[in-house]
Amino acid sequence: MSHTTVDQTPLQNALNLAGRALLAVLFLPAGIGKLTGFAGTVGYISSAGLPLPSVGAALALTVEIVGSLALLAGWGTRWAALVLGLFTLAASFFFHPFWSVAPEQAYVTQLLFFKNIAVVGGLLVLAAQGAGAWSLDARARRG
């Protein structure tokens, strides 16, 4: 992916960093939770009927931990945001299928589904715009 250079104000750079950090706050604890509760994660993935739940759990925790750390550091940010976005989109359909749950579960499941869709939107913006000046990506371009 090409990296465009955009002159940003200190406020824009601060907001970009804050946005990356807030997105990472969603994924890093989830990835660590999957790591520390690996058997439970495997069981949850298995309950969704997905094949190779141990492989899926390992992949999910790796994407969440590595991806969130990449966002925090602003390293490979465009790719990290794309991978996290695709991961979140897929997870939304498998783990928040509001259209197929009991009516008393549909409201919360639908909220979780569309929260994830909004997160995917934010990740796509980050993938399009890049990490900003306060990032390892920008430092590598300058150096």
Side-chain angles (χ1 to χ4, degrees):
M1 293 184 165
S2 66
H3 297 278
T4 58
T5 302
V6 177
D7 292 326
Q8 293 186 326
T9 67
L11 177 60
Q12 289 171 310
N13 289 321
L15 291 173
N16 194 305
L17 175 60
R20 293 190 340 255
L22 291 172
L23 284 166
V25 164
L26 178 65
F27 293 103
L28 187 57
I32 292 170
K34 286 174 179 66
L35 179 63
T36 60
F38 191 77
T41 301
V42 170
Y44 184 58
I45 292 172
S46 183
S47 74
L50 295 174
L52 304 169
S54 293
V55 173
L59 181 63
L61 73 88
T62 300
V63 165
E64 288 178 330
I65 292 171
V66 173
S68 62
L69 292 175
L71 291 186
L72 280 172
W75 178 75
T77 307
R78 292 174 189 260
W79 285 108
L82 279 175
V83 169
L84 284 166
L86 290 172
F87 167 80
T88 303
L89 185 62
S92 300
F93 283 95
F94 287 109
F95 298 104
H96 302 300
F98 66 90
W99 53 88
S100 66
V101 298
E104 61 274 5
Q105 296 172 326
Y107 180 72
V108 171
T109 306
Q110 185 177 25
L111 284 175
L112 292 171
F113 178 87
F114 283 108
K115 179 262 314 169
N116 278 6
I117 297 304
V119 169
V120 171
L123 289 164
L124 291 176
V125 170
L126 186 56
Q129 298 300 316
W134 296 355
S135 67
L136 292 179
D137 290 341
R139 180 175 219 149
R141 283 193 307 275
R142 287 189 304 263

